[in-house]
Amino acid sequence: MHVEEFIPNTPQKKIGEGSVGFTSPSNIALVKYWGKKPHQIPANPSISFTLNNCKTETFLRYTPKTSDGFSFEVYLDGKKQPEFRPKIEQFFERISIYSPFLANFHFDIETTNTFPHSSGIASSASGMSALAMCIVALEALVYEDSDAQFLKRKASFLARLGSGSACRSIEGGFVVWGAHSSILGSSDLEGVAFPFEVHEVFKDYQDAILLVDKGEKQVSSSVGHNLMHNHPFAKERFQQAHDHLDALIPILKSGDLNAFIHIIEREALTLHAMMMSSDPYFILMKPNTLKVINTLWSFRKETQIPICFTLDAGANVHVLYPKRYATEVEQFIQNKLSGYCQNGQYILDHVGKGVEPIKI
Ligand code: DP6
């Protein structure tokens, strides 16, 4: 698979002004992407499931123009957001060879999230995948391309260039990103639907996101990823991610929850162990993160309910559990864990379907 297939080679059609809109969800990684090579190539393969409720809704309004260069405004909840410009400018620069029509339009990018910005849940994943999908929808008009499957693949390819984890939000369910020898079709360039059988228990798996700390991230993911260069444990970590993904293939098929929990929690703690052992080192967990983990472990021991946690590059905790235990677990979260969340806040979510068009 080569990047060339994503460079258009047909003539552009002239189109007038208009708009396209998509919602795209966030996703939660089970095997984590942490460390990357140039051009947003992951240092190891990762797998996530796409969420349902934590979403970004983006409209891309386009007006033809003749001047050179990129021209755009970004709005969040109707307000201009100049601080988002550099990230989008960089994104446009990275993708302009694959979407050469971008300079022919002025864009108003209007976006809203269903979750608080910088709550530590991956708004870059949902935001960049929604924008990538809008750009690809415009591409379909400009090149009169109606190959829906190719366009979705291209959206994942472009989203990756905006934010790595975003390429796993286009498809629903379980998505793999990064070449893995046991997963035919897996690629460093785009997310692909996990191609093997998935047990019923995982098809509607639940994710309660506990907002332990909603502050701005202490360390951006880009800085964090870079700390894996020359990291003393990098080689072992990257190998471990390959091994964990191998181990997950039969687990996702059989529904063996104990084995699942073991890998998922190990991944979360390894991610943070990598941050704690980089140079410079940092701790993104907060005291309440550890309180949540310990309380969850006690609950699991007492009740034998197979819940577990995972973490992103922040203090918030994702509590994962099968739907059949939703009542007990949600009561436990409300009674015992919400006290460790800022303003008692948490978000209940579950496996979702990926990007969807918004009818305009
Ligand atoms: C810890 O996708 O946010 O959430 O490619 O620099 O935008 P960039 O990084 P990003 O990294 C996410 C890291 C993670 C693990 C994961 O989602 O796999």
Side-chain angles (χ1 to χ4, degrees):
M1 199 174 296
H2 300 292
V3 295
E4 285 73 30
E5 70 168 313
F6 295 110
I7 301 176
N9 56 13
T10 48
Q12 289 183 34
K13 192 185 147 203
K14 277 212 173 351
I15 60 165
E17 63 176 41
S19 74
V20 287
F22 283 86
T23 62
S24 186
S26 185
N27 65 74
I28 179 64
L30 303 173
V31 171
K32 309 287 179 181
Y33 147 56
W34 197 244
K36 61 177 153 181
K37 302 177 207 168
H39 309 293
Q40 293 285 102
I41 298 301
N44 63 261
S46 57
I47 183 168
S48 56
F49 68 75
T50 303
L51 294 174
N52 190 69
N53 302 334
C54 292
K55 282 187 178 165
T56 299
E57 177 180 286
T58 298
F59 290 97
L60 183 70
R61 305 198 191 280
Y62 50 89
T63 318
K65 71 169 179 69
T66 47
S67 55
D68 288 343
F70 301 128
S71 166
F72 63 90
E73 287 295 350
V74 198
Y75 301 82
L76 177 67
D77 301 327
K79 277 194 230 113
K80 254 188 206 175
Q81 299 290 323
E83 68 271 27
F84 287 1
R85 289 188 61 90
K87 182 122 199 185
I88 305 240
E89 182 91 37
Q90 183 192 48
F91 178 51
F92 278 13
E93 270 158 22
R94 283 183 186 169
I95 68 170
S96 63
I97 162 169
Y98 308 108
S99 305
F101 55 89
L102 286 177
N104 302 345
F105 295 93
H106 167 80
F107 296 108
D108 285 310
I109 304 165
E110 293 167 15
T111 174
T112 49
N113 292 325
T114 59
F115 49 85
H117 172 60
S118 287
S119 56
I121 51 181
S123 56
S124 67
S126 55
M128 282 299 175
S129 52
L131 180 56
M133 201 62 208
C134 289
I135 290 170
V136 163
L138 176 56
E139 165 164 341
L141 301 173
V142 170
Y143 296 109
E144 295 182 297
D145 189 344
S146 56
D147 180 346
Q149 219 193 330
F150 172 78
L151 292 170
K152 260 193 159 180
R153 283 188 50 220
K154 178 149 181 186
S156 175
F157 173 85
L158 295 182
R160 182 195 100 243
L161 293 167
S163 177
S165 55
C167 77
R168 298 186 312 234
S169 276
I170 303 288
E171 291 283 350
F174 290 78
V175 179
V176 174
W177 168 43
H180 188 284
S181 57
S182 309
I183 304 179
L184 198 68
S186 59
S187 162
D188 285 344
L189 301 181
E190 61 189 287
V192 298
F194 178 70
F196 303 113
E197 195 180 328
V198 172
H199 191 275
E200 284 303 314
V201 72
F202 293 119
K203 291 196 175 147
D204 53 6
Y205 226 62
Q206 310 287 300
D207 178 8
I209 306 155
L210 308 190
L211 303 179
V212 169
D213 181 34
K214 299 200 288 163
E216 279 290 338
K217 275 194 194 171
Q218 211 180 311
V219 185
S220 74
S221 335
S222 307
V223 172
H225 286 292
N226 281 337
L227 292 172
M228 287 305 282
H229 294 131
N230 305 318
H231 191 292
F233 310 133
K235 198 165 150 250
E236 290 76 6
R237 160 60 198 154
F238 300 147
Q239 183 55 45
Q240 182 197 44
H242 281 266
D243 297 345
H244 278 166
L245 204 37
D246 252 329
L248 270 180
I249 295 170
I251 293 171
L252 288 177
K253 181 174 178 192
S254 68
D256 179 345
L257 293 178
N258 288 332
F260 178 77
I261 287 172
H262 186 76
I263 291 183
I264 284 5
E265 292 190 344
R266 221 172 150 215
E267 273 292 315
L269 294 178
T270 302
L271 170 70
H272 282 257
M274 289 301 113
M275 300 181 205
M276 291 198 246
S277 50
S278 354
D279 187 6
Y281 45 83
F282 48 95
I283 303 180
L284 292 186
M285 287 188 266
K286 298 278 182 202
N288 279 349
T289 311
L290 290 177
K291 286 191 181 139
V292 166
I293 293 173
N294 282 310
T295 312
L296 182 152
W297 278 347
S298 303
F299 175 79
R300 186 164 79 211
K301 205 165 169 204
E302 278 159 27
T303 62
Q304 298 295 310
I305 291 178
I307 70 171
C308 68
F309 72 87
T310 187
L311 306 165
D312 270 342
N316 297 333
V317 184
H318 290 249
V319 178
L320 306 182
Y321 50 98
K323 188 166 185 202
R324 66 172 179 273
Y325 295 107
T327 312
E328 295 97 308
V329 173
E330 284 159 24
Q331 235 162 40
F332 161 65
I333 291 172
Q334 181 56 35
N335 295 342
K336 295 276 162 57
L337 300 184
S338 66
Y340 301 126
C341 301
Q342 269 191 4
N343 308 319
Q345 267 187 295
Y346 57 90
I347 301 168
L348 297 178
D349 211 336
H350 53 85
V351 175
K353 294 199 179 72
V355 286
E356 278 173 15
I358 305 170
K359 293 229 158 54
I360 299 176

